mmCIF file of all heavy atoms in Angstrom:
data_model
loop_
_atom_site.group_PDB
_atom_site.id
_atom_site.type_symbol
_atom_site.label_atom_id
_atom_site.label_comp_id
_atom_site.label_asym_id
_atom_site.label_seq_id
_atom_site.Cartn_x
_atom_site.Cartn_y
_atom_site.Cartn_z
ATOM 1 N N GLY K 1 100.232 110.100 101.527
ATOM 2 C CA GLY K 1 101.430 110.757 101.057
ATOM 3 C C GLY K 1 101.387 111.178 99.614
ATOM 4 O O GLY K 1 102.180 111.992 99.207
ATOM 5 N N ASP K 2 100.394 110.614 98.855
ATOM 6 C CA ASP K 2 100.260 111.049 97.447
ATOM 7 C C ASP K 2 99.811 112.513 97.380
ATOM 8 O O ASP K 2 99.037 112.986 98.235
ATOM 9 C CB ASP K 2 99.151 110.187 96.747
ATOM 10 C CG ASP K 2 99.611 108.793 96.383
ATOM 11 O OD1 ASP K 2 100.808 108.469 96.591
ATOM 12 O OD2 ASP K 2 98.743 108.056 95.873
ATOM 13 N N THR K 3 100.254 113.191 96.340
ATOM 14 C CA THR K 3 99.798 114.528 96.077
ATOM 15 C C THR K 3 98.424 114.459 95.401
ATOM 16 O O THR K 3 98.177 113.633 94.563
ATOM 17 C CB THR K 3 100.759 115.274 95.116
ATOM 18 O OG1 THR K 3 102.031 115.384 95.726
ATOM 19 C CG2 THR K 3 100.233 116.641 94.783
ATOM 20 N N VAL K 4 97.497 115.246 95.934
ATOM 21 C CA VAL K 4 96.114 115.258 95.472
ATOM 22 C C VAL K 4 95.980 116.358 94.426
ATOM 23 O O VAL K 4 96.333 117.511 94.659
ATOM 24 C CB VAL K 4 95.097 115.485 96.621
ATOM 25 C CG1 VAL K 4 93.700 115.570 96.098
ATOM 26 C CG2 VAL K 4 95.277 114.327 97.595
ATOM 27 N N GLY K 5 95.452 115.965 93.228
ATOM 28 C CA GLY K 5 95.312 116.960 92.154
ATOM 29 C C GLY K 5 94.259 117.988 92.421
ATOM 30 O O GLY K 5 93.411 117.822 93.295
ATOM 31 N N ASP K 6 94.301 119.047 91.647
ATOM 32 C CA ASP K 6 93.383 120.107 91.756
ATOM 33 C C ASP K 6 92.012 119.703 91.161
ATOM 34 O O ASP K 6 91.960 118.864 90.277
ATOM 35 C CB ASP K 6 93.915 121.360 91.056
ATOM 36 C CG ASP K 6 93.174 122.639 91.423
ATOM 37 O OD1 ASP K 6 92.457 122.669 92.428
ATOM 38 O OD2 ASP K 6 93.295 123.593 90.650
ATOM 39 N N PHE K 7 90.997 120.324 91.624
ATOM 40 C CA PHE K 7 89.661 120.239 91.024
ATOM 41 C C PHE K 7 88.816 121.395 91.380
ATOM 42 O O PHE K 7 89.131 122.169 92.355
ATOM 43 C CB PHE K 7 88.952 118.918 91.468
ATOM 44 C CG PHE K 7 88.666 118.843 92.950
ATOM 45 C CD1 PHE K 7 87.513 119.436 93.483
ATOM 46 C CD2 PHE K 7 89.514 118.147 93.823
ATOM 47 C CE1 PHE K 7 87.244 119.330 94.887
ATOM 48 C CE2 PHE K 7 89.266 118.075 95.189
ATOM 49 C CZ PHE K 7 88.103 118.673 95.709
ATOM 50 N N ARG K 8 87.775 121.610 90.622
ATOM 51 C CA ARG K 8 86.810 122.715 90.884
ATOM 52 C C ARG K 8 85.419 122.129 90.852
ATOM 53 O O ARG K 8 85.091 121.345 89.935
ATOM 54 C CB ARG K 8 86.892 123.789 89.745
ATOM 55 C CG ARG K 8 88.142 124.557 89.683
ATOM 56 C CD ARG K 8 88.099 125.406 88.403
ATOM 57 N NE ARG K 8 89.450 125.876 88.114
ATOM 58 C CZ ARG K 8 89.867 127.134 88.337
ATOM 59 N NH1 ARG K 8 89.025 128.027 88.869
ATOM 60 N NH2 ARG K 8 91.058 127.459 88.049
ATOM 61 N N LEU K 9 84.637 122.528 91.825
ATOM 62 C CA LEU K 9 83.199 122.094 91.890
ATOM 63 C C LEU K 9 82.307 123.253 92.281
ATOM 64 O O LEU K 9 82.701 124.069 93.121
ATOM 65 C CB LEU K 9 83.033 120.946 92.874
ATOM 66 C CG LEU K 9 83.649 119.579 92.510
ATOM 67 C CD1 LEU K 9 83.522 118.643 93.665
ATOM 68 C CD2 LEU K 9 82.947 119.013 91.273
ATOM 69 N N PRO K 10 81.066 123.290 91.742
ATOM 70 C CA PRO K 10 80.142 124.298 92.183
ATOM 71 C C PRO K 10 79.529 123.874 93.524
ATOM 72 O O PRO K 10 79.438 122.671 93.844
ATOM 73 C CB PRO K 10 79.097 124.275 91.052
ATOM 74 C CG PRO K 10 79.122 122.890 90.566
ATOM 75 C CD PRO K 10 80.556 122.448 90.662
ATOM 76 N N GLY K 11 79.068 124.849 94.319
ATOM 77 C CA GLY K 11 78.406 124.525 95.551
ATOM 78 C C GLY K 11 78.393 125.691 96.495
ATOM 79 O O GLY K 11 78.491 126.897 96.041
ATOM 80 N N GLY K 12 78.311 125.413 97.741
ATOM 81 C CA GLY K 12 78.325 126.434 98.753
ATOM 82 C C GLY K 12 76.917 126.780 99.255
ATOM 83 O O GLY K 12 76.029 125.961 99.171
ATOM 84 N N HIS K 13 76.804 127.978 99.738
ATOM 85 C CA HIS K 13 75.539 128.436 100.304
ATOM 86 C C HIS K 13 74.840 129.413 99.392
ATOM 87 O O HIS K 13 73.711 129.818 99.653
ATOM 88 C CB HIS K 13 75.785 129.075 101.672
ATOM 89 C CG HIS K 13 76.404 128.134 102.657
ATOM 90 N ND1 HIS K 13 75.751 127.049 103.176
ATOM 91 C CD2 HIS K 13 77.667 128.111 103.184
ATOM 92 C CE1 HIS K 13 76.565 126.381 103.965
ATOM 93 N NE2 HIS K 13 77.718 127.024 104.006
ATOM 94 N N LEU K 14 75.476 129.799 98.314
ATOM 95 C CA LEU K 14 74.866 130.695 97.327
ATOM 96 C C LEU K 14 75.202 130.136 95.956
ATOM 97 O O LEU K 14 76.219 129.630 95.653
ATOM 98 C CB LEU K 14 75.489 132.093 97.435
ATOM 99 C CG LEU K 14 75.379 132.801 98.810
ATOM 100 C CD1 LEU K 14 76.257 134.036 98.806
ATOM 101 C CD2 LEU K 14 73.943 133.182 99.056
ATOM 102 N N HIS K 15 74.235 130.329 95.012
ATOM 103 C CA HIS K 15 74.452 129.925 93.629
ATOM 104 C C HIS K 15 75.628 130.729 93.094
ATOM 105 O O HIS K 15 75.865 131.872 93.408
ATOM 106 C CB HIS K 15 73.249 130.176 92.765
ATOM 107 C CG HIS K 15 72.215 129.098 92.857
ATOM 108 N ND1 HIS K 15 72.432 127.836 92.314
ATOM 109 C CD2 HIS K 15 70.970 129.093 93.372
ATOM 110 C CE1 HIS K 15 71.378 127.136 92.529
ATOM 111 N NE2 HIS K 15 70.474 127.842 93.168
ATOM 112 N N GLY K 16 76.370 130.111 92.202
ATOM 113 C CA GLY K 16 77.468 130.791 91.506
ATOM 114 C C GLY K 16 78.834 130.611 92.209
ATOM 115 O O GLY K 16 79.811 131.032 91.684
ATOM 116 N N GLU K 17 78.858 130.026 93.396
ATOM 117 C CA GLU K 17 80.177 129.804 94.004
ATOM 118 C C GLU K 17 80.901 128.609 93.350
ATOM 119 O O GLU K 17 80.228 127.630 92.999
ATOM 120 C CB GLU K 17 79.954 129.506 95.502
ATOM 121 C CG GLU K 17 79.578 130.716 96.311
ATOM 122 C CD GLU K 17 79.535 130.361 97.793
ATOM 123 O OE1 GLU K 17 80.595 130.427 98.426
ATOM 124 O OE2 GLU K 17 78.450 130.024 98.271
ATOM 125 N N THR K 18 82.150 128.721 93.162
ATOM 126 C CA THR K 18 82.999 127.622 92.713
ATOM 127 C C THR K 18 84.074 127.419 93.748
ATOM 128 O O THR K 18 84.716 128.380 94.208
ATOM 129 C CB THR K 18 83.586 127.935 91.337
ATOM 130 O OG1 THR K 18 82.540 128.160 90.413
ATOM 131 C CG2 THR K 18 84.463 126.838 90.846
ATOM 132 N N PHE K 19 84.313 126.163 94.068
ATOM 133 C CA PHE K 19 85.320 125.827 95.057
ATOM 134 C C PHE K 19 86.447 125.088 94.401
ATOM 135 O O PHE K 19 86.221 124.126 93.627
ATOM 136 C CB PHE K 19 84.717 124.937 96.191
ATOM 137 C CG PHE K 19 83.757 125.753 97.019
ATOM 138 C CD1 PHE K 19 82.500 125.996 96.608
ATOM 139 C CD2 PHE K 19 84.165 126.202 98.273
ATOM 140 C CE1 PHE K 19 81.595 126.705 97.369
ATOM 141 C CE2 PHE K 19 83.278 126.931 99.061
ATOM 142 C CZ PHE K 19 81.991 127.194 98.575
ATOM 143 N N ARG K 20 87.688 125.546 94.589
ATOM 144 C CA ARG K 20 88.824 124.979 93.987
ATOM 145 C C ARG K 20 89.765 124.432 95.061
ATOM 146 O O ARG K 20 90.127 125.132 96.005
ATOM 147 C CB ARG K 20 89.592 126.022 93.157
ATOM 148 C CG ARG K 20 90.743 125.543 92.446
ATOM 149 C CD ARG K 20 91.388 126.582 91.547
ATOM 150 N NE ARG K 20 92.605 126.038 90.998
ATOM 151 C CZ ARG K 20 93.739 126.684 90.926
ATOM 152 N NH1 ARG K 20 93.795 127.951 91.320
ATOM 153 N NH2 ARG K 20 94.774 126.150 90.382
ATOM 154 N N ARG K 21 90.118 123.139 94.937
ATOM 155 C CA ARG K 21 90.951 122.511 95.955
ATOM 156 C C ARG K 21 92.239 123.265 96.175
ATOM 157 O O ARG K 21 92.649 123.518 97.312
ATOM 158 C CB ARG K 21 91.200 121.036 95.588
ATOM 159 C CG ARG K 21 91.623 120.197 96.719
ATOM 160 C CD ARG K 21 93.079 119.895 96.914
ATOM 161 N NE ARG K 21 93.861 119.884 95.704
ATOM 162 C CZ ARG K 21 95.104 120.525 95.589
ATOM 163 N NH1 ARG K 21 95.518 121.213 96.614
ATOM 164 N NH2 ARG K 21 95.762 120.464 94.516
ATOM 165 N N ALA K 22 92.879 123.706 95.135
ATOM 166 C CA ALA K 22 94.180 124.371 95.267
ATOM 167 C C ALA K 22 94.125 125.705 95.992
ATOM 168 O O ALA K 22 95.154 126.138 96.526
ATOM 169 C CB ALA K 22 94.840 124.562 93.886
ATOM 170 N N ASP K 23 92.929 126.295 96.093
ATOM 171 C CA ASP K 23 92.801 127.537 96.859
ATOM 172 C C ASP K 23 92.934 127.311 98.362
ATOM 173 O O ASP K 23 93.097 128.256 99.130
ATOM 174 C CB ASP K 23 91.456 128.249 96.563
ATOM 175 C CG ASP K 23 91.406 128.759 95.147
ATOM 176 O OD1 ASP K 23 92.477 128.968 94.532
ATOM 177 O OD2 ASP K 23 90.285 129.001 94.682
ATOM 178 N N TYR K 24 92.844 126.047 98.826
ATOM 179 C CA TYR K 24 92.865 125.748 100.265
ATOM 180 C C TYR K 24 94.133 125.040 100.648
ATOM 181 O O TYR K 24 94.654 125.236 101.748
ATOM 182 C CB TYR K 24 91.672 124.927 100.635
ATOM 183 C CG TYR K 24 90.409 125.766 100.518
ATOM 184 C CD1 TYR K 24 89.755 125.982 99.354
ATOM 185 C CD2 TYR K 24 89.959 126.480 101.647
ATOM 186 C CE1 TYR K 24 88.665 126.823 99.234
ATOM 187 C CE2 TYR K 24 88.897 127.318 101.564
ATOM 188 C CZ TYR K 24 88.250 127.509 100.377
ATOM 189 O OH TYR K 24 87.168 128.333 100.265
ATOM 190 N N THR K 25 94.652 124.190 99.822
ATOM 191 C CA THR K 25 95.924 123.537 100.063
ATOM 192 C C THR K 25 96.869 123.879 98.888
ATOM 193 O O THR K 25 96.737 123.355 97.829
ATOM 194 C CB THR K 25 95.765 122.020 100.196
ATOM 195 O OG1 THR K 25 95.170 121.498 99.019
ATOM 196 C CG2 THR K 25 94.934 121.667 101.380
ATOM 197 N N LEU K 26 97.733 124.818 99.110
ATOM 198 C CA LEU K 26 98.558 125.343 98.001
ATOM 199 C C LEU K 26 99.908 124.724 98.022
ATOM 200 O O LEU K 26 100.678 124.878 98.933
ATOM 201 C CB LEU K 26 98.668 126.903 98.210
ATOM 202 C CG LEU K 26 97.359 127.641 98.232
ATOM 203 C CD1 LEU K 26 97.579 129.080 98.600
ATOM 204 C CD2 LEU K 26 96.606 127.547 96.940
ATOM 205 N N HIS K 27 100.187 123.972 96.937
ATOM 206 C CA HIS K 27 101.500 123.343 96.829
ATOM 207 C C HIS K 27 102.595 124.403 96.676
ATOM 208 O O HIS K 27 102.420 125.366 95.918
ATOM 209 C CB HIS K 27 101.514 122.412 95.573
ATOM 210 C CG HIS K 27 102.726 121.571 95.522
ATOM 211 N ND1 HIS K 27 102.989 120.583 96.453
ATOM 212 C CD2 HIS K 27 103.761 121.574 94.692
ATOM 213 C CE1 HIS K 27 104.104 119.986 96.214
ATOM 214 N NE2 HIS K 27 104.615 120.527 95.087
ATOM 215 N N GLY K 28 103.572 124.323 97.464
ATOM 216 C CA GLY K 28 104.660 125.305 97.431
ATOM 217 C C GLY K 28 104.477 126.384 98.465
ATOM 218 O O GLY K 28 105.401 127.150 98.751
ATOM 219 N N GLU K 29 103.292 126.540 99.001
ATOM 220 C CA GLU K 29 103.004 127.495 100.078
ATOM 221 C C GLU K 29 102.248 126.737 101.161
ATOM 222 O O GLU K 29 101.663 125.713 100.958
ATOM 223 C CB GLU K 29 102.149 128.625 99.564
ATOM 224 C CG GLU K 29 102.765 129.472 98.455
ATOM 225 C CD GLU K 29 101.777 130.572 97.996
ATOM 226 O OE1 GLU K 29 100.963 131.021 98.803
ATOM 227 O OE2 GLU K 29 101.910 130.917 96.852
ATOM 228 N N ARG K 30 102.332 127.275 102.355
ATOM 229 C CA ARG K 30 101.563 126.664 103.470
ATOM 230 C C ARG K 30 100.106 127.076 103.381
ATOM 231 O O ARG K 30 99.764 128.226 103.488
ATOM 232 C CB ARG K 30 102.147 127.096 104.813
ATOM 233 C CG ARG K 30 103.529 126.566 105.107
ATOM 234 C CD ARG K 30 103.626 125.046 105.126
ATOM 235 N NE ARG K 30 102.907 124.567 106.310
ATOM 236 C CZ ARG K 30 102.833 123.271 106.565
ATOM 237 N NH1 ARG K 30 103.289 122.383 105.787
ATOM 238 N NH2 ARG K 30 102.190 122.880 107.677
ATOM 239 N N GLY K 31 99.286 126.149 103.081
ATOM 240 C CA GLY K 31 97.842 126.355 103.010
ATOM 241 C C GLY K 31 97.147 125.845 104.239
ATOM 242 O O GLY K 31 97.782 125.705 105.304
ATOM 243 N N ARG K 32 95.928 125.494 104.093
ATOM 244 C CA ARG K 32 95.162 124.875 105.216
ATOM 245 C C ARG K 32 94.805 123.450 104.899
ATOM 246 O O ARG K 32 94.604 123.104 103.750
ATOM 247 C CB ARG K 32 93.832 125.654 105.397
ATOM 248 C CG ARG K 32 94.066 127.078 105.871
ATOM 249 C CD ARG K 32 92.750 127.773 105.939
ATOM 250 N NE ARG K 32 92.336 128.061 104.559
ATOM 251 C CZ ARG K 32 91.358 128.876 104.239
ATOM 252 N NH1 ARG K 32 90.604 129.462 105.125
ATOM 253 N NH2 ARG K 32 91.049 129.115 102.964
ATOM 254 N N PRO K 33 94.703 122.613 105.937
ATOM 255 C CA PRO K 33 94.248 121.271 105.655
ATOM 256 C C PRO K 33 92.769 121.302 105.140
ATOM 257 O O PRO K 33 92.031 122.212 105.500
ATOM 258 C CB PRO K 33 94.328 120.578 107.036
ATOM 259 C CG PRO K 33 95.134 121.441 107.842
ATOM 260 C CD PRO K 33 95.063 122.816 107.294
ATOM 261 N N LEU K 34 92.463 120.331 104.357
ATOM 262 C CA LEU K 34 91.106 120.288 103.750
ATOM 263 C C LEU K 34 90.504 118.930 104.034
ATOM 264 O O LEU K 34 91.135 117.877 103.770
ATOM 265 C CB LEU K 34 91.209 120.522 102.244
ATOM 266 C CG LEU K 34 89.952 120.568 101.416
ATOM 267 C CD1 LEU K 34 88.979 121.698 101.935
ATOM 268 C CD2 LEU K 34 90.281 120.831 99.960
ATOM 269 N N VAL K 35 89.321 118.891 104.611
ATOM 270 C CA VAL K 35 88.601 117.666 104.859
ATOM 271 C C VAL K 35 87.570 117.506 103.771
ATOM 272 O O VAL K 35 86.655 118.363 103.658
ATOM 273 C CB VAL K 35 87.951 117.649 106.233
ATOM 274 C CG1 VAL K 35 87.116 116.396 106.425
ATOM 275 C CG2 VAL K 35 88.983 117.791 107.348
ATOM 276 N N LEU K 36 87.630 116.429 103.003
ATOM 277 C CA LEU K 36 86.637 116.147 101.958
ATOM 278 C C LEU K 36 85.748 115.011 102.416
ATOM 279 O O LEU K 36 86.222 113.869 102.577
ATOM 280 C CB LEU K 36 87.311 115.782 100.616
ATOM 281 C CG LEU K 36 88.305 116.791 100.061
ATOM 282 C CD1 LEU K 36 88.938 116.239 98.818
ATOM 283 C CD2 LEU K 36 87.670 118.122 99.806
ATOM 284 N N ALA K 37 84.505 115.226 102.632
ATOM 285 C CA ALA K 37 83.531 114.235 103.093
ATOM 286 C C ALA K 37 82.646 113.905 101.926
ATOM 287 O O ALA K 37 81.639 114.616 101.611
ATOM 288 C CB ALA K 37 82.735 114.727 104.296
ATOM 289 N N PHE K 38 82.907 112.802 101.207
ATOM 290 C CA PHE K 38 82.112 112.348 100.100
ATOM 291 C C PHE K 38 80.954 111.534 100.690
ATOM 292 O O PHE K 38 81.146 110.635 101.558
ATOM 293 C CB PHE K 38 82.889 111.450 99.177
ATOM 294 C CG PHE K 38 83.860 112.157 98.347
ATOM 295 C CD1 PHE K 38 85.171 112.376 98.837
ATOM 296 C CD2 PHE K 38 83.549 112.635 97.079
ATOM 297 C CE1 PHE K 38 86.123 113.039 98.052
ATOM 298 C CE2 PHE K 38 84.464 113.251 96.284
ATOM 299 C CZ PHE K 38 85.786 113.495 96.775
ATOM 300 N N TYR K 39 79.745 111.798 100.211
ATOM 301 C CA TYR K 39 78.522 111.112 100.745
ATOM 302 C C TYR K 39 77.604 110.810 99.558
ATOM 303 O O TYR K 39 77.518 111.587 98.623
ATOM 304 C CB TYR K 39 77.870 111.920 101.844
ATOM 305 C CG TYR K 39 77.288 113.220 101.424
ATOM 306 C CD1 TYR K 39 75.904 113.353 101.168
ATOM 307 C CD2 TYR K 39 78.052 114.357 101.242
ATOM 308 C CE1 TYR K 39 75.355 114.560 100.758
ATOM 309 C CE2 TYR K 39 77.536 115.552 100.843
ATOM 310 C CZ TYR K 39 76.171 115.681 100.624
ATOM 311 O OH TYR K 39 75.600 116.873 100.211
ATOM 312 N N PRO K 40 76.840 109.684 99.632
ATOM 313 C CA PRO K 40 76.019 109.255 98.511
ATOM 314 C C PRO K 40 74.827 110.191 98.215
ATOM 315 O O PRO K 40 74.496 110.388 97.023
ATOM 316 C CB PRO K 40 75.549 107.866 98.860
ATOM 317 C CG PRO K 40 76.584 107.343 99.842
ATOM 318 C CD PRO K 40 77.048 108.588 100.596
ATOM 319 N N GLY K 41 74.168 110.748 99.217
ATOM 320 C CA GLY K 41 72.980 111.519 98.855
ATOM 321 C C GLY K 41 72.464 112.437 99.961
ATOM 322 O O GLY K 41 72.473 112.131 101.115
#
């Protein structure tokens, strides 16, 4: 139920991509659910 803060991280399938959490789940607008799978290595 907690609101998850925004963040930006580099990654993807091409160099230079930046992924921003707020671009997928937009507070105040209906966005998309986001699954974050953290893994050690």
Side-chain angles (χ1 to χ4, degrees):
D2 284 355
T3 299
V4 176
D6 193 19
F7 63 83
R8 294 173 195 257
L9 290 173
H13 301 291
L14 301 170
H15 277 292
E17 287 184 84
T18 299
F19 291 78
R20 181 175 176 224
R21 199 260 330 132
D23 291 341
Y24 290 84
T25 57
L26 303 172
H27 191 66
E29 297 178 28
R30 293 298 291 177
R32 293 177 286 191
L34 183 60
V35 176
L36 304 177
F38 289 88
Y39 65 101

